[in-house]
Amino acid sequence: ELLRDNVARATHELRTEVEEQLAALQVELQSWVGANPNLKPYCHGRIGWLLRGEPPSQDLTAAFLRLALPSAPPPPPLSPSSLSLLPGARAMRRFSYLLVPGLLTKWYPLYMATLRADFKRLGLTLTCSRIDTDQPVRVNAARLMHEVLELSGGEPEARVVLLGHSKGAVDAAAALSLFPELRGRVAALVSVQGPHGGSAIAHDLANTQVQRSVA
């Protein structure tokens, strides 16, 4: 028992020491990067065009954690029978869902595999877009235009729901903006983690000397 207590105490002290040293190193690196004009991020004040002119944002982290980490066991997955009880269930089954993947996700094994399996289990038609996730927004928007027209079957009725993930949400929004003829065929655009307000990483890759040379 004494040996176990000593090992636990030593482990705790070592962990605390390592965490303190890492925190100090992080502060030192941030200070060094901020003082180096070749490494300093250029995105400050330039990202977030959606927020300009809007009221200050609210920090809802605590509320999110309460919902994301409930103490009670999670509810059972939605079943086909319970889906039919939801408002608009008939329309949901009539739609074709087009998943627009995010940047570089063509290299991700089993990308959105759980989502695809859930849609299949619920009897909903989900198609994964064939865009090249390495390509720029305008190229992918043109590809999405053809896919939406194909899924809609040439009918003017809104039958397609776009599910855009990360940059895929931006690609999907660009398709609707560049090709107005799609708006009557798309019932909804669902944006999941879409960087519509800009991306600090992308901005720095394009504007910082060192990052630009690496990219």
Side-chain angles (χ1 to χ4, degrees):
E1 185 69 27
L2 179 61
L3 177 60
R4 186 183 300 111
D5 291 342
N6 289 336
V7 170
R9 186 181 305 107
T11 302
H12 175 72
E13 293 175 355
L14 179 61
R15 183 186 299 113
T16 302
E17 177 69 18
V18 170
E19 290 176 351
E20 291 176 352
Q21 293 296 330
L22 288 176
L25 178 61
Q26 182 180 12
V27 172
E28 186 175 347
L29 286 174
Q30 290 176 342
S31 176
W32 176 73
V33 169
N36 190 327
N38 291 326
L39 296 174
K40 184 178 179 180
Y42 282 65
C43 64
H44 298 298
R46 304 192 183 200
I47 300 301
W49 58 266
L50 287 176
L51 300 179
R52 289 202 286 270
E54 298 293 331
S57 60
Q58 301 181 30
D59 186 354
L60 300 177
T61 303
F64 171 80
L65 292 176
R66 284 197 303 270
L67 295 173
L69 303 173
S71 56
L78 188 66
S79 65
S81 58
S82 56
L83 177 66
S84 62
L85 301 177
L86 296 178
R90 183 174 300 178
M92 293 174 63
R93 295 188 185 281
R94 188 178 70 248
F95 292 143
S96 294
Y97 298 86
L98 181 61
L99 173 62
V100 188
L103 180 67
L104 304 178
T105 52
K106 71 178 185 181
W107 306 106
Y108 293 9
L110 301 178
Y111 175 70
M112 292 290 184
T114 302
L115 178 68
R116 298 188 198 188
D118 286 340
F119 267 73
K120 183 177 181 180
R121 179 174 54 80
L122 294 172
L124 302 176
T125 303
L126 177 66
T127 303
C128 187
S129 171
R130 298 183 297 276
I131 62 170
D132 186 343
T133 60
D134 298 357
Q135 292 296 316
V137 171
R138 185 174 292 271
V139 172
N140 286 344
R143 176 68 186 182
L144 287 172
M145 183 266 293
H146 292 289
E147 292 183 342
V148 170
L149 293 178
E150 180 181 348
L151 284 175
S152 63
E155 298 180 10
E157 182 185 3
R159 295 184 53 201
V160 180
V161 174
L162 298 174
L163 306 176
H165 172 232
S166 190
K167 178 179 171 290
V170 179
D171 294 339
L176 294 174
S177 176
L178 295 172
F179 306 102
E181 62 269 26
L182 298 183
R183 298 173 190 172
R185 294 176 168 85
V186 173
L189 165 59
V190 180
S191 176
V192 181
Q193 300 175 318
H196 299 286
S199 167
I201 295 176
H203 190 279
D204 284 351
L205 285 173
N207 292 276
T208 309
Q209 181 178 346
V210 172
Q211 284 96 317
R212 188 167 58 240
S213 64
V214 173

